[in-house]
Amino acid sequence: MEENIVQPENEDGELFEHHRVVASKGQEPLRVDKFLMNFIENATRNKIQQSAKDGHVWVNDQIVKSNYKVKAGDEVKVLFEHPPHEFLLVPEDIPLDIVYEDDVLMVVNKPAGMVVHPGHGNYSGTLINALIFHTDNLPANSNERPGLVHRIDKDTSGLLVVAKTEAAMTHLAKQFFDKTSEREYVALVWGNIEEDEGTVVGHVGRNPKNRLQMHVFPEGEEGKEAVTHFKVLERLGYVTLVSCKLETGRTHQIRVHMKYIGHTLFNDERYGGEKILKGTTFTKYKQFVENTFKLLPRQALHAKTLGFVHPVTGEHMSFDSEVPEDMTSAIEKWRGYTKNSTE
C-alpha cells in the first residue's frame, strides 16, 4: 500500500468519523465493501464503493479501495468532510403525545414508525428533533443525545421518559442502570407458549453473521447480561399475547429473547417474524395472516407501562399507555380466527 497518502480535506483540514468497526478475531478475509454492508444500516454496496473511490474508507488509518480484504483486527473507518448528521440536530415542529411534564422531566408516548434519534438514513422527523423544538437546552446523555434516558426501536410504540436537566438525567440513568425502573411491554408472538410465565436469561450482543441483528449468547461469551420476565396474557391459537418485563434494557432485547425461546414477534421482519411461522398450509389461513400483517405492518411490540422515582420529589411515578389501534386490530383478528376455528 502506498505510504504517501493525500488526506482529503475540508476548509479546516478536518475529517469526521461516521462509522468505525474493528474486525473480530474470527474475521475471514472479506472485501471491505461487503464487510461494511454488514454494519451500516440502509447502505448499498454501490454507495460504499463510491465512498471508497472518493477516499472515504480507511483501514488502519490508510485509505483503501473497495476490493481491500479486511482481516482480523483491522480497524475500518468511514470518514467524511462533514460531521455526522446526528450532530447537526435541527429542531422540528413535530407533534408530541406528552403524557406528563414538569420542570425536570417529561414522559412521551412514541408512535410506531418514529425514530428516536437521528442516525444513518434517518436525519429528520425523529423524536429528538421534536424534543429540541419543544424544550431548550436538553442535557446530553453519555452518547451525546439530548434528553434520552433510554430508547425504544423505531417500529415499537410506547412510553419513554425524557430528562430536562443534568441532575434528572443522572438520577434517572442510575435507576435504569441499577434495574430499579419498571418497564412492561405487550407483545404478540408466534406460537403457543406452554408455560404461563417464565424468565429468559442470556447475554445479548451483535450477531457476528448479521450485524444489523442482535443475538443471544447463552454461555455469556459475548454481549451483555440480559434478563426478560414474561407472562402469558392470552392464547390465540397460533400466536400468544404476552407481557414482558425488562430487568435489563439491551438493544432489541425482547425481540431477540423471544426468538431465542422459539417465539419470534409477530411481523418482526428483522428477525423473521414476517413469515408464517406457525399454522396450517391452507390458502385461506395464509390469506388471513397476510391480511393481519397489513393491519399491523411492524413488529407487534408496545412499551405499555413505565415506572421510576421522581429525581426531585422522590415520589414513585407510574404511567400506563393504551395498546395502539394497529396492534389491537391484529389481536382482535386473531381472536376472531381462534373463535371460528374452535366452533
Side-chain angles (χ1 to χ4, degrees):
M1 196 176 293
E2 294 178 17
E3 293 297 322
N4 299 319
I5 293 169
V6 178
Q7 179 171 308
E9 296 184 349
N10 59 13
E11 290 178 3
D12 301 317
E14 185 179 5
L15 283 171
F16 297 92
E17 183 180 297
H18 285 237
H19 304 281
R20 175 172 50 179
V21 187
V22 177
S24 63
K25 290 178 183 177
Q27 178 65 51
E28 296 289 328
L30 181 67
R31 283 177 59 113
V32 71
D33 51 355
K34 288 186 176 180
F35 176 81
L36 283 172
M37 280 188 70
N38 291 327
F39 292 87
I40 304 176
E41 194 168 359
N42 299 330
T44 64
R45 194 169 172 191
N46 281 344
K47 282 185 181 177
I48 294 171
Q49 288 174 343
Q50 187 59 49
S51 294
K53 190 176 178 181
D54 294 340
H56 298 310
V57 178
W58 298 58
V59 176
N60 304 328
D61 293 324
Q62 292 193 309
I63 294 174
V64 298
K65 293 180 179 177
S66 55
N67 63 355
Y68 174 88
K69 296 283 180 71
V70 176
K71 52 193 182 299
D74 276 351
E75 183 183 59
V76 183
K77 294 181 184 178
V78 180
L79 305 170
F80 291 110
E81 294 95 335
H82 59 87
H85 287 274
E86 53 261 46
F87 296 117
L88 302 173
L89 292 172
V90 177
E92 294 180 37
D93 186 4
I94 301 166
L96 285 171
D97 181 3
I98 298 171
V99 178
Y100 172 86
E101 183 173 16
D102 60 26
D103 290 342
V104 301
L105 63 85
M106 71 174 96
V107 175
V108 177
N109 190 18
K110 186 190 84 68
M114 176 184 262
V115 176
V116 170
H117 56 76
H120 185 80
N122 295 288
Y123 301 122
S124 66
T126 75
L127 180 65
I128 283 187
N129 294 113
L131 289 173
I132 60 177
F133 180 90
H134 179 81
T135 305
D136 292 330
N137 303 316
L138 286 172
N141 65 12
S142 57
N143 292 320
E144 299 300 319
R145 283 163 179 161
L148 290 189
V149 179
H150 60 128
R151 59 179 290 272
I152 57 179
D153 298 328
K154 173 187 174 184
D155 289 325
T156 299
S157 53
L159 297 173
L160 284 162
V161 61
V162 176
K164 294 170 69 175
T165 67
E166 294 283 357
M169 175 69 77
T170 302
H171 196 286
L172 289 165
K174 188 173 190 306
Q175 292 183 55
F176 278 76
F177 181 79
D178 292 342
K179 306 173 188 174
T180 57
S181 62
E182 296 156 16
R183 284 168 290 169
E184 181 186 6
Y185 290 68
V186 173
L188 187 67
V189 303
W190 279 108
N192 178 31
I193 300 178
E194 291 182 7
E195 319 91 73
D196 289 335
E197 54 187 80
T199 298
V200 187
V201 179
H203 279 48
V204 170
R206 288 281 168 196
N207 185 338
K209 293 179 181 177
N210 181 350
R211 304 297 293 190
L212 299 180
Q213 288 185 351
M214 304 305 283
H215 184 73
V216 175
F217 298 90
E219 303 301 319
E221 65 274 25
E222 287 187 46
K224 293 180 180 178
E225 176 200 16
V227 180
T228 305
H229 305 285
F230 68 86
K231 184 176 182 179
V232 171
L233 298 176
E234 190 174 355
R235 301 180 194 280
L236 296 165
Y238 299 123
V239 295
T240 305
L241 189 65
V242 292
S243 157
C244 294
K245 289 189 176 180
L246 291 181
E247 193 171 304
T248 55
R250 309 301 176 205
T251 301
H252 297 182
Q253 180 174 317
I254 291 172
R255 299 166 69 183
V256 74
H257 264 177
M258 296 313 289
K259 178 175 182 174
Y260 176 65
I261 63 169
H263 297 284
T264 304
L265 264 63
F266 185 76
N267 211 9
D268 188 349
E269 186 175 354
R270 185 161 298 190
Y271 291 96
E274 86 288 7
K275 299 181 180 71
I276 298 175
L277 299 181
K278 298 288 178 182
T280 73
T281 56
F282 297 136
T283 306
K284 191 176 177 183
Y285 173 73
K286 182 182 177 186
Q287 188 61 57
F288 159 77
V289 174
E290 287 176 353
N291 288 340
T292 311
F293 284 155
K294 287 175 186 173
L295 282 177
L296 181 67
R298 63 176 179 105
Q299 70 259 10
L301 186 62
H302 175 68
K304 190 174 189 327
T305 65
L306 178 64
F308 53 85
V309 172
H310 194 282
V312 175
T313 67
E315 175 192 358
H316 183 269
M317 308 189 78
S318 185
F319 300 92
D320 185 81
S321 62
E322 294 288 328
V323 176
E325 187 179 347
D326 61 351
M327 200 162 154
T328 55
S329 296
I331 294 165
E332 282 298 329
K333 203 163 174 65
W334 274 106
R335 283 185 184 132
Y337 182 86
T338 306
K339 184 181 177 183
N340 291 335
S341 299
T342 53
E343 285 179 352

